[in-house]
Structures are given as C-alpha cells and as structure tokens.
C-alpha cells in the first residue's frame, strides 16, 4: 500500500501548489450580478432548468415523452423519436405504472419500460416538483447479480413546471434476470433521500435484436491497429464495438517512454448509402485492452447495404525530435510523423524566449521543452492562439510558446505530438 | 454573522464567505475538473445555487460543508455534461503544450485512477489530494463515515493491483 500512497502523496504536493486564479473573485461577482434571490423573485430557477433540459435534448438520446394508455405509453410524444413512436404504436413497451412518493411530496412514477439487447429504456414521470427540476438522479437498475447503470437520457418539463417526463437508458439486464430494483435519489439542499421501485420484467415484451454480427476487421493506423469487433442493432439503437490493439504494449510503453495514446475515433455508420445519426460513444481501458463503442440510431427496416466508414483517428504519439532554432531564422518548416510544423519566429523579450509556431488545427506538441545552451527549460505557457482558415478549408493554428530564460544555442526538443489523421476507409458488413 | 447577511441576500457577504476559504473551494473544484477554466465554471455555478438556496440553510455553522456539497454536485453535473459533448473540438487545446518529466507518472496514476469506480476515485482524490479527513469527506459527499473508509480502502487496493500488474508486464 505504501507505494501507491507515496505516488498519491506526490500528486498532492502538486495540487498544494495550485494557486487560486486572480480572476476568481471577479468571476464569482459576475456570476451573481444579475441574480435575484429566490426569496424575492420566484421562478428564476425555472429558466435554468429549461436551459438544462434543452441542453440534454441536444446531446442526449433522440427520444420522445411517455405514460401508458391501454398498452401504449402516452404523454411522451414530443420526447420520442419517430422510431420509438413506431415501437410504441406496436405496443412494444411494457407497462409498469408503479410510483414512489418522497417525503417532500414529490412523486416519481415508472410508467413503463422498453427492453432490447442494447438497452433498457425507462419512461418515468416526476410530479409535484418543488424546487429543482433535476433533483432526482443517481439511478440504477439492480438485478440479482449486479447493477445496471444509467447511460443517459432526456427529459421534458410541462408548461406549468409541475411535471417532468424522462426517457432514461440503462444497461440491459442479463437474460436470466426477471425482477429489477430501480433505485434513485432525491437531493434537496444538503438532504438526500433514496427511493426504489421493484418491478418484474415481461420477457415477452423484450425486443432482442435485428442484426448481430461479428465484424472482425482490423485497420492499421500509424502505430497501432483498430479492430472493429461487432455490431449489434436492436429496435431502439445500433451499437458498434471495437478495441484498439496493442494496448498491453501501450501500457508497458507508458513506462518505457514509447507511447501512443488514442484520443478520438471518428466512425460513421452508413445504411443504404445514408449516414445514421450518432447518438453516443465511449472509450474505456482495462487490463484486457482499450475498448470503444459507438452508438447510432436504429437501422432502417428495408436495409440492403451497411457500411462502416472509419473517418479519422486522433492520438498522442511519442517522438524524439530536436530541432535547432535561432533568432534570425524565420518560417522554418519541418515535418514530424507526416505533420507540417512551421517555426515562424524566435525572439527574446524581458529575459524570456518566445517561439511562434504554426501547424494544422489538429496538431499539438503535447510535450515540448526548449534546450537553452544545453539546459532543458520547461514550457511556461502557450500564448496568442490564432486560427486562420486556408483556401482549401483547412485551418491553421498559430501560437507562441513561452520559455523562461534566454541563450545563444537553442534547440526545440519535441517529445510528443498529437494529431488527427484522416483515413476514410470503408468496411462492408455482409447482410447474410 | 456573514452567513446571516448572505441569507438576507447580501451578495458581497456571500462572495466574502467564499473568498475567505478560496483555496479550499478552488482545490476541491480543481480535483474534480482538472483544469482552471472548468474549476472556475463550477465555482460560478456553485455561487449562483448558494445564492438562490441559502435561505433554506437552517444551521448557519453548516455553511461551509453545505456549500462544498453544492460545489461537488456542480462539478459532477458539469462533468456529466462535458462527457456527453466531448469531441475533437474540445480535445484540441485542452492539453497545452509542455510538461515535465513527472507528467508521465501522473498520466499513469491518472489513468489507473480513472479506471476505478467513480465513487472510489472520488474518495481517494478527496483523501489524498486534499488531505481531507474521513468525516469531512462523509459530510461533503453525504455518505456515511464507514462508506468513506471502505471506498478508500477498496480504491487503494484496486489501484495497487493495477499498478502492480503494470510494473510486472
């Protein structure tokens, strides 16, 4: 335990040195400037809640509002996507209709669920809202062997601000699970109350999947391989899963100093020649490797062609490049891992050395030091960011690196570079 | 006295209350948000919520623990939102060029910390990076004392395991 604690303590020393930014007080005052105490003006919070919900709608699942009528959920129309509306029309949801009332009178009702192989969607209503609209959270579905966490969702508040409807996605329960315990927490000021609703899954209502395929295709990127493993299309969503190979080496390389850290994978899913809307993505690392998943809207019913387009990949790469620079030189160009870097000028000011560089927008020297007369000087900060759009539509990023100290013999020592590379490769997924 | 003034809607008094312990608040926000701008954003959100809700605060001497809980919740909410909308645009200048040799160890630590369950991570960051005692963590995060202890010990155990696996590779 000692070793871990030692590393943690070391990090603490660094945090101890963090200085409170000077602008803090100004920012706090500015934040309060146009605020009125809720004691005097009621209703201010509503604006904030609405803004929050709108944000959720833009970034969250594309789903519409619910309660059941007969065998269909009603009241969730504006929250449901056209796809979910169709599923609802086909009575694919399971009606639950169970409620829990918090001590403050607020009531939460699980109107219904929809279940398929990718997710469990919970449709619920909060009524008798007291203060904060989003004061109920921290949800999970618990089965007999484990918890299934919430993955995201979207809500909508009614005009009178007394009721909010949500569609929240959870990880799907295991196939053998029948009874689920839905837990949630109401937070009010410094008080918290946990509630639960227990319900039984009607497996006859579960929708399974419409397409499940192993992809097993590998694409070579600069220093690694991206492996597309599977696609699981269910009636509510389509999920592509994959791994970034060589992760074990990656982890090891982190100690040795030959690293490569993936950042962002841009993948499109194209069905019948039309791009499907991306609804979410994730990346996780464990000892078995780095995994990613991408989520898209459901596949069209008349599917005859399905393709994955691997658009681009961004990673942080270790390099070992030392570049001699001097103060008279202007616009020196160099290329590292195929990326153009221009050193526009090098100058001194008040005992400090400044280096202005231009690269393409996605290129970043993620670790760079300046060797002044043989001595390594860490980068103090990056200043003066400028972005220029070029004729070909690409964007140039110019900024100045500031180093403390001056000297005669200067070398820019680039240890690490981050960039985005376009691949645009297609993988066809066979339909049978 | 200041808390009382703040409860009456005195903005100055509220800002002064926060500024009196600015280090504590800022570092708390920083260990969640990991950068200056987001930490400041979280503190802005916090002060607005405090201002709007302070009249609900019954025990005035609980102001600091109450407001820190609000700050933690603001950080978590911002992180939730950030996680959903993070894209290439945000990655670009998130990391400024530069760094130190020890950054590598930090990256490894951060990497393994971030693989822990969120609750374990949180407890470890609060305990080790801010040096908060178990009771304070329990007060801020609103969990029982025993839970704090078990989260820290489980988190440490897991962290140790992942670091050991790594060093044997």
């Amino acid at each position: 335990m000692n070793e871990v604690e030692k590393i943690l303590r070391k990090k603490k020393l660094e945090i101890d040195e963090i200085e409170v930014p000077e602008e803090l007080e100004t920012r706090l005052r500015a934040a309060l400037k146009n605020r009125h105490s809720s004691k005097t003006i009621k209703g201010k919070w509503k604006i904030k809640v609405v803004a929050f919900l709108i944000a959720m709608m833009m970034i969250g699942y594309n789903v519409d509002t619910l309660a059941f009528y007969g065998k269909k959920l009603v009241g969730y129309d504006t929250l449901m996507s056209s796809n979910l509306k169709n599923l609802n029309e086909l009575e694919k949801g399971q009606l639950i209709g169970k409620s829990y009332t918090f001590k403050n009178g607020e009531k939460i009702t699980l109107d219904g669920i929809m279940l398929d192989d990718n997710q469990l969607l919970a449709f619920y209503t909060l009524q008798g809202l007291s203060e904060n609209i989003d004061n109920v959270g921290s949800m999970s579905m618990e089965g007999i062997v484990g918890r299934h966490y919430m993955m995201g969702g979207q809500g909508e508040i009614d005009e009178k601000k007394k009721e909010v409807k949500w569609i929240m996605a959870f990880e799907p329960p295991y196939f053998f699970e029948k009874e689920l315990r839905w837990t949630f927490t109401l937070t009010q000021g410094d008080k918290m109350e946990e509630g639960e609703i227990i319900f039984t899954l009607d497996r006859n209502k579960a929708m399974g999947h419409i397409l499940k395929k192993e992809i097993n295709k590998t694409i070579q990127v600069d220093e690694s391989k991206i492996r597309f493993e599977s696609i699981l299309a269910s009636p509510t969503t389509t999920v592509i899963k994959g791994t970034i190979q060589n992760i074990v080496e990656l982890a090891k390389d982190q100690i040795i100093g030959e690293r490569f850290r993936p950042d962002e994978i841009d993948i499109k899913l194209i069905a019948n020649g039309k791009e499907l809307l991306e609804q979410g993505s994730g990346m996780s690392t464990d000892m078995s490797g780095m995994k990613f998943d991408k989520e898209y809207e459901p596949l069209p019913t008349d599917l005859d062609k399905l393709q994955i387009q691997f658009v681009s990949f961004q990673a942080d790469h270790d390099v070992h490049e030392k570049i001699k620079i001097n103060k008279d030189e202007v616009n020196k160009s160099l290329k590292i891992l195929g990326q153009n870097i221009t050193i526009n000028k090098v100058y001194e000011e008040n005992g400090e050395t400044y280096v202005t560089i231009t690269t393409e927008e996605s290129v970043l020297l993620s670790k760079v030091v300046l060797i002044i007369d043989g001595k390594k000087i860490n980068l103090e900060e990056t200043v003066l960011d400028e972005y220029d759009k070029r004729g070909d539509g690409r964007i140039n990023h110019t900024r100045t690196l500031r180093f403390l100290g001056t000297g005669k013999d200067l070398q820019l020592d680039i240890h690490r570079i981050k960039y985005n590379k376009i691949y645009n490769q297609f993988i066809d997924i066979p339909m049978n | 006295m200041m808390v009382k003034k703040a409860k009456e809607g005195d903005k100055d008094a509220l800002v002064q209350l926060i500024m009196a312990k600015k280090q504590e608040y800022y570092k708390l926000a920083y260990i969640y948000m990991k950068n200056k701008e987001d930490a400041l954003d979280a503190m802005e959100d916090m002060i607005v919520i405090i201002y709007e809700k302070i009249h609900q605060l019954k025990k005035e001497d609980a102001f600091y623990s109450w407001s820190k809980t609000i700050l933690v919740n603001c950080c978590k909410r911002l992180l939730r939102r950030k996680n959903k909308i993070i894209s290439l645009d945000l990655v670009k200048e998130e990391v400024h060029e530069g760094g130190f040799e020890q950054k590598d160890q930090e990256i490894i630590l951060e990497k393994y910390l971030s693989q822990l369950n969120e609750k374990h991570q949180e407890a470890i960051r609060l305990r080790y990076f801010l040096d908060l005692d178990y009771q304070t963590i329990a007060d801020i995060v609103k969990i029982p004392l025993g839970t704090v202890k078990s989260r820290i010990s489980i988190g440490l155990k897991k962290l140790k395991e992942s670091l050991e696996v790594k060093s044997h590779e």
Side-chain angles (χ1 to χ4, degrees):
Chain A
M1 209 63 94
N2 281 345
E3 187 54 29
V4 178
E5 293 194 2
K6 220 160 79 189
I7 302 175
L8 289 168
R9 296 279 176 205
K10 214 162 141 192
K11 171 85 180 176
K12 179 193 177 284
L13 294 178
E14 207 182 299
I15 287 169
D16 283 345
E17 280 171 21
I18 291 173
E19 281 176 23
V20 179
E22 280 174 19
E23 64 263 41
L24 175 64
E25 187 165 352
T26 326
R27 297 251 324 234
L28 292 180
R29 287 189 191 279
L32 285 180
K33 203 175 168 199
N34 296 315
R35 295 281 161 177
H36 301 279
S37 163
S38 53
K39 246 180 148 180
T40 47
I41 296 183
K42 287 215 164 117
K44 266 276 155 183
W45 58 273
K46 289 172 188 161
I47 296 162
K48 215 165 63 194
V49 165
V50 172
F52 172 67
L53 290 175
I54 289 170
M56 286 295 290
M57 279 177 211
M58 291 192 297
I59 60 186
Y61 284 78
N62 227 356
V63 275
D64 297 39
T65 317
L66 326 190
F68 276 102
Y69 178 75
K71 287 177 181 171
K72 289 177 211 161
L73 287 154
V74 295
Y76 288 82
D77 282 2
T78 52
L79 263 175
M80 278 199 266
S81 63
S82 56
N83 174 62
L84 278 190
K85 273 184 208 160
N86 282 339
L87 295 175
N88 188 34
E89 280 302 312
L90 297 168
E91 299 176 1
K92 294 292 186 189
Q94 180 192 341
L95 191 132
I96 307 285
K98 282 192 174 181
S99 301
Y100 177 90
T101 307
F102 292 99
K103 285 186 192 119
N104 71 347
E106 207 168 316
K107 188 173 155 193
I108 182 166
T109 305
L110 180 61
D111 296 312
I113 58 157
M114 272 189 199
L115 174 63
D116 66 22
D117 285 355
N118 273 320
Q119 59 186 352
L120 183 153
L121 294 176
F123 299 83
Y124 66 90
T125 311
L126 285 166
Q127 283 163 311
L129 305 167
S130 45
E131 275 277 317
N132 225 334
I133 299 285
D134 60 335
N135 57 355
V136 177
S138 301
M139 296 180 173
S140 69
M141 293 278 179
E142 232 175 298
I144 43 170
V145 284
R147 268 169 193 244
H148 311 290
Y149 293 97
M150 60 192 242
M151 306 192 291
Q154 174 194 330
E156 190 181 61
I157 185 169
D158 76 328
E159 280 175 8
K160 289 177 191 149
K161 317 279 187 276
K162 283 286 159 206
E163 184 180 287
V164 63
K165 285 190 181 291
W166 280 92
I167 302 179
M168 186 67 75
F170 292 84
E171 298 164 343
Y174 299 113
F175 67 93
F176 50 82
E177 283 174 334
K178 267 192 168 172
E179 194 168 80
L180 289 180
R181 196 161 72 97
W182 181 40
T183 59
F184 35 78
T185 308
L186 170 88
T187 313
Q188 271 194 311
D190 56 354
K191 277 185 250 143
M192 276 170 104
E193 185 185 342
E194 197 165 272
E196 64 171 43
I197 288 174
I198 295 172
F199 62 97
T200 307
L201 285 174
D202 176 1
R203 287 280 169 185
N204 293 325
K205 288 278 188 185
M207 292 179 279
H209 60 263
I210 35 181
L211 177 86
K212 190 177 185 177
K213 287 240 174 242
E214 300 291 321
I215 305 173
N216 291 335
K217 280 270 161 49
T218 301
I219 291 179
Q220 180 77 42
V221 293
D222 282 357
E223 286 133 299
S224 186
K225 282 174 183 160
I226 292 177
R227 185 175 178 81
F228 291 85
E229 304 213 307
S230 65
I231 181 166
L232 177 57
S234 67
T236 62
T237 187
T238 308
V239 179
I240 295 175
K241 287 189 174 168
T243 52
I244 295 172
Q245 284 192 330
N246 295 336
I247 185 64
V248 181
E249 283 94 320
L250 280 185
K252 201 164 69 188
D253 291 349
Q254 272 202 327
I255 299 180
I256 307 166
E258 296 282 339
R259 289 138 305 188
F260 161 85
R261 291 177 211 91
D263 249 7
E264 172 76 32
I265 314 173
D266 186 2
I267 299 162
K268 285 181 179 160
L269 182 62
I270 301 164
N272 297 344
K274 205 176 144 228
E275 187 187 333
L276 296 179
L277 208 64
E278 187 176 325
Q279 293 182 326
S281 68
M283 216 190 267
S284 67
T285 313
D286 59 25
M287 289 325 289
S288 65
M290 180 170 282
K291 299 186 173 88
F292 65 88
D293 58 75
K294 294 266 175 186
E295 192 174 319
Y296 303 84
E297 60 189 332
L299 297 179
T301 42
D302 56 342
L303 184 69
D304 54 34
K305 195 180 180 199
L306 189 60
Q307 282 180 305
I308 290 174
Q309 184 185 359
F310 173 52
V311 183
S312 69
F313 180 58
Q314 175 166 292
D316 206 357
H317 310 253
D318 268 16
V319 289
H320 301 283
E321 294 274 348
K322 284 184 185 162
I323 297 111
K324 265 192 166 301
I325 51 174
N326 61 61
K327 279 160 258 177
D328 335 309
E329 208 167 31
V330 284
N331 296 335
K332 176 178 181 157
S333 292
L334 48 127
K335 217 170 191 146
I336 299 174
L337 293 178
Q339 307 301 311
N340 293 314
I341 298 167
T342 306
I343 298 173
N344 310 101
K345 59 176 175 173
V346 182
Y347 60 98
E348 286 175 5
E349 223 173 76
N350 305 324
E352 295 175 346
T353 306
Y354 292 82
V355 183
T356 304
I357 60 167
T358 299
T359 60
E360 259 191 39
E361 195 188 15
S362 80
V363 179
L364 192 75
L365 309 184
S366 37
K367 186 175 174 187
V368 60
V369 298
L370 185 65
I371 303 175
I372 304 180
D373 296 332
K375 203 179 153 208
K376 275 191 179 181
I377 308 293
N378 289 322
L379 176 79
E380 200 59 23
E381 62 170 341
T382 306
V383 286
L384 293 173
D385 282 311
E386 271 174 39
Y387 293 89
D388 286 314
K389 199 164 182 176
R390 301 193 309 212
D392 59 4
R394 288 189 288 185
I395 293 170
N396 274 346
H397 179 197
T398 302
R399 66 276 198 193
T400 300
L401 316 177
R402 181 167 80 94
F403 300 90
L404 301 181
T406 57
K408 273 184 190 166
D409 184 19
L410 304 177
Q411 270 185 305
L412 202 58
D413 188 0
I414 301 170
H415 292 249
R416 210 145 67 207
I417 172 171
K418 183 187 270 192
Y419 60 88
N420 185 274
K421 193 166 166 181
I422 309 284
Y423 289 87
N424 272 334
Q425 290 192 33
F426 288 84
I427 297 171
D428 287 308
I429 299 169
M431 285 296 93
N432 40 42
Chain B
M1 194 57 204
M2 276 296 194
V3 180
K4 202 165 188 180
K5 276 189 173 174
K7 279 186 91 167
E8 284 160 3
D10 185 332
K11 292 177 182 174
D12 263 339
L14 180 55
V15 173
Q16 280 178 43
L17 273 169
I18 305 294
M19 291 304 287
K21 296 209 176 184
K22 60 180 180 184
Q23 286 275 355
E24 288 176 23
Y25 283 103
Y26 182 69
K27 282 184 189 170
L28 182 60
Y30 195 93
I31 64 156
Y32 279 92
M33 306 309 295
K34 304 195 187 83
N35 71 64
K36 179 182 135 189
E37 272 314 308
D38 290 339
L40 286 172
D41 283 348
M43 287 190 69
E44 280 184 355
D45 288 356
M46 169 197 73
I47 201 163
V48 169
I49 293 176
I50 295 178
Y51 183 66
E52 287 171 351
K53 288 190 166 182
I54 193 166
H55 65 277
Q56 297 172 4
L57 177 69
K58 291 190 185 83
K59 281 187 278 177
E60 285 174 19
D61 51 3
F63 175 80
Y64 281 110
S65 134
W66 173 74
S67 55
K68 282 176 187 170
T69 303
I70 291 177
L71 179 57
V72 166
N73 289 336
C74 288
C75 289
K76 288 180 180 172
R77 189 173 307 169
L78 278 177
L79 285 172
R80 272 206 300 275
R81 261 189 258 177
K82 242 173 98 89
N83 282 342
K84 290 209 170 166
I85 54 170
I86 196 149
S87 68
L88 277 181
D89 304 339
L90 278 172
V91 176
K92 268 166 218 154
E93 280 308 308
E94 183 193 17
V95 184
H96 266 275
E97 280 123 29
F100 311 86
E101 274 321 308
Q102 75 254 30
K103 270 262 182 286
D104 292 342
Q105 199 177 24
E106 227 178 83
I107 288 165
I108 295 170
L109 175 66
E110 194 51 52
K111 183 184 163 124
Y112 284 100
L113 251 180
S114 65
Q115 282 167 18
L116 295 182
N117 173 312
E118 248 172 56
K119 290 169 177 173
H120 296 149
Q121 263 189 61
E122 177 180 47
I124 286 190
R125 285 181 206 276
L126 294 171
R127 175 75 190 99
Y128 287 94
F129 297 168
L130 294 188
D131 219 9
L132 301 180
D133 58 48
Y134 294 134
Q135 189 57 54
T136 311
I137 297 173
D139 291 345
I140 293 178
V141 187
K142 299 284 161 215
I143 49 174
L145 190 62
T147 313
V148 177
K149 288 181 186 168
S150 77
R151 281 184 190 173
I152 290 175
S153 93
I154 293 170
L156 277 181
K157 195 167 158 261
K158 289 195 173 160
L159 203 55
K160 192 186 169 205
E161 280 163 10
S162 30
L163 288 164
E164 269 177 0
V165 173
K166 180 186 215 5
S167 57
H168 286 133
E169 265 166 24

